[in-house]
Amino acid sequence: MTPAVLSVLPLAVPAVAALAHAGFGSRPAARWIGAASSVALLAVAVALAYAVVTSGPRAALGGLLWFDAVSVFMLLVIAAVAVLATSATPGHFRVEIAQRRASPRTAARHGALVQAFVAAMNAAVLAANLGMLWIAIEATTIITAFLVGQRRSRAAVEAAWKYVVLCSTGIALALLGALLLNYASSAGGGSAGLDLVALADSAHLLDPDVTRIAVVLLILGFGAKAGLAPLHAWLPDAHSQAPAPVSALMSGALLAVAFYAVLRVKVVADAALGVGFARALLTVMALASLAVAATLLLAQRDYKRMLAYSSIEHLGLVALGAAIGAPLAVAAALLHVLGHGLAKAALFLGAGRVLQLTGSSRIGSVRALAARAPMLAGGAGLGVLALTGLPPFSLFASELGIARAGLATAGMGWVTAAALLLVLVTAGTLVWHSSRMLLGAPADVPGAAVAPVRADTTVVVLVVGLAACAVLGITVGPLDTLLESAADILVGAS
């Protein structure tokens, strides 16, 4: 396969799958189109990663797309999470249709929108231009708004509107920041425009005063889409109301894609203003996000919202790694993005199955799950342990890397210590809430003393996702070179 053809496949594969879902999605044979598309996308991402590692970065489609270690790593994250989410989707909708909460037409529309969503995320991480990156992220907002409100209940529609309003506010800030950055480039005599590589290379020509304002707006704007404080309030509502496969994609991939934009902006900011400016801003956002998650998790009564607040915590950790800025911290942050994507996607899919079995998302309404659905409960329990950062899961290795780098970086020791304290609070809260759901005697809850539920596709996907996360915790294997190259790109300009 020629490089030109390979370069367009990340956009073409999900686009074709979306059209196939729109045309044939209501037929039983079309249920696995999404999963097949995601597996093909993962294969393409692996091939592109190999090409970048062996041959170096390259542009495609007349300079519209840019393939380097960072962008293809993010493509791997999107594809891996998409494989989990789309593989569980047929089983999810089989139950939803049987319980008359959805129809075959709803499933077909869902499949088309999900593939369009994946294509938009791919376009975002491959965009060579900050303007195109902004357009692609805004496209994800529009597409996922329909997915969040898919059930058309009052709570789902309210969550969708809240998501649109807050994320559009953030995206509007990012648009203003992009325009100001373009002005800073032209005012300084540069000709980079909004080309990401050219901006990083000619950052010394940017007008520093305008650049400061632009960077603040861009990081706050894209940070809102990444679920970082202070514009994080949309996330718990959207993730708790969206169908489980959509929650898995949003938490596991979309938040990471939005933070990818922050990382690209930080490269320009570090080169133009020095490492201190973006570091200070990201440190405040990271600690605020960790504090919000730790505080609100303590009194949380809904297990899907519990997982959503956990996502805020983990993106706060990723922001902390970016703020530290050392190669080890950045590589660990990228590994954290992948590990969190796998574990959180698996857990949201498991949570969706629990909701189907129990009919409630309230923590207090779920008891003795280990007796009713032992395989599902075992997977969910391991997933929670993965989120708390215990070995052998990759989140342990990534959190350890961020902590080591933070303690070794001047001025970041107290920040790292405060972050670790908040992480411990969050971990303890997650274990406490989860243990209440998983353990206990079936007789303690009316209706709980029923025959055990057999394992299904969701359980298989849950186990596969957690197994992949565990393998990454033991060895990153061939990803080591890719992570090292990506870290060099993200810290090299500083």
Side-chain angles (χ1 to χ4, degrees):
M1 186 177 297
T2 65
V5 173
L6 188 63
S7 299
V8 301
L9 288 180
L11 305 181
V13 169
V16 170
L19 293 174
H21 267 294
F24 311 104
S26 59
R27 300 180 183 180
R31 291 181 301 174
W32 294 96
I33 290 176
S37 170
S38 298
V39 171
L41 178 61
L42 182 59
V44 170
V46 171
L48 286 168
Y50 177 79
V52 167
V53 169
T54 56
S55 304
R58 58 189 175 89
L61 282 184
L64 295 177
L65 303 182
W66 178 250
F67 295 85
D68 64 8
V70 186
S71 59
V72 296
F73 178 82
M74 292 304 303
L75 196 63
L76 284 170
V77 173
I78 296 168
V81 174
V83 168
L84 297 179
T86 55
S87 296
T89 296
H92 173 83
F93 272 100
R94 184 172 59 251
V95 175
E96 293 292 292
I97 293 171
Q99 297 178 351
R100 298 187 177 180
R101 290 194 294 264
S103 66
R105 185 177 178 182
T106 304
R109 183 170 58 248
H110 170 96
L113 287 171
V114 163
Q115 292 303 311
F117 177 30
V118 171
M121 288 193 290
N122 292 346
V125 299
L126 296 177
N129 183 285
L130 184 59
M132 288 185 58
L133 172 57
W134 182 90
I135 292 171
I137 290 183
E138 176 63 5
T140 66
T141 303
I142 297 170
I143 295 167
T144 48
F146 291 100
L147 290 167
V148 170
Q150 181 173 289
R151 293 182 179 178
R152 299 185 181 180
S153 64
R154 181 176 178 179
V157 173
E158 181 181 338
W161 275 109
K162 189 174 184 179
Y163 168 62
V164 169
V165 170
L166 286 178
C167 285
S168 294
T169 300
I171 290 298
L173 293 176
L175 175 60
L176 181 56
L179 295 175
L180 286 175
L181 193 60
N182 183 66
Y183 173 78
S185 176
S186 60
S191 59
L194 291 177
D195 185 274
L196 292 167
V197 175
L199 277 171
D201 291 339
S202 61
H204 61 284
L205 298 176
L206 298 177
D207 182 283
D209 294 327
V210 179
T211 301
R212 287 188 185 91
I213 301 174
V215 168
V216 170
L217 292 172
L218 284 163
I219 291 181
L220 284 176
F222 288 131
K225 194 64 186 282
L228 294 175
L231 295 176
H232 63 279
W234 65 268
L235 194 152
D237 291 326
H239 287 205
S240 62
Q241 291 301 321
V246 177
S247 299
L249 272 170
M250 291 180 71
S251 188
L254 180 59
L255 300 183
V257 169
F259 197 81
Y260 163 86
V262 173
L263 290 174
R264 289 298 194 185
V265 171
K266 183 179 180 294
V267 172
V268 178
D270 288 349
L273 307 172
V275 298
F277 187 79
R279 171 180 289 174
L281 182 57
L282 283 171
T283 297
V284 172
M285 294 175 71
L287 289 180
S289 300
L290 290 168
V292 165
T295 303
L296 295 180
L297 271 172
L298 288 171
Q300 192 51 240
R301 299 175 182 177
D302 184 293
Y303 53 82
K304 290 194 73 176
R305 292 177 69 90
M306 175 184 76
L307 294 178
Y309 281 115
S310 169
S311 295
I312 296 176
E313 176 225 359
H314 283 281
L315 266 293
L317 282 173
V318 174
L320 177 62
I324 293 167
L328 173 60
V330 173
L334 292 174
L335 179 61
H336 200 85
V337 163
L338 179 56
H340 172 257
L342 293 170
K344 187 59 63 65
L347 269 177
F348 263 117
L349 294 170
R353 185 66 182 126
V354 172
L355 178 60
Q356 290 177 333
L357 290 174
T358 64
S360 175
S361 63
R362 308 266 307 173
I363 294 174
S365 299
V366 181
R367 290 290 185 272
L369 190 63
R372 301 181 63 188
M375 291 294 292
L376 178 60
L382 288 174
V384 170
L385 294 180
L387 290 182
T388 61
L390 291 181
F393 299 102
S394 66
L395 295 175
F396 169 76
S398 56
E399 289 180 11
L400 180 62
I402 292 171
R404 285 179 56 198
L407 294 173
T409 301
M412 295 299 291
W414 69 270
V415 174
T416 305
L420 290 176
L421 179 61
L422 292 169
V423 168
L424 286 175
V425 173
T426 302
T429 306
L430 283 173
V431 171
W432 164 247
H433 286 320
S434 301
S435 63
R436 292 168 56 200
M437 297 170 57
L438 300 178
L439 305 178
D444 291 344
V445 184
V450 295
V453 178
R454 297 194 316 182
D456 57 11
T457 308
T458 301
V459 174
V460 174
V461 173
L462 176 60
V463 171
V464 169
L466 294 176
C469 189
V471 169
L472 283 174
I474 298 170
T475 175
V476 294
L479 285 178
D480 183 47
T481 303
L482 189 65
L483 284 170
E484 184 178 349
S485 299
D488 288 341
I489 292 170
L490 293 175
V491 303
S494 61

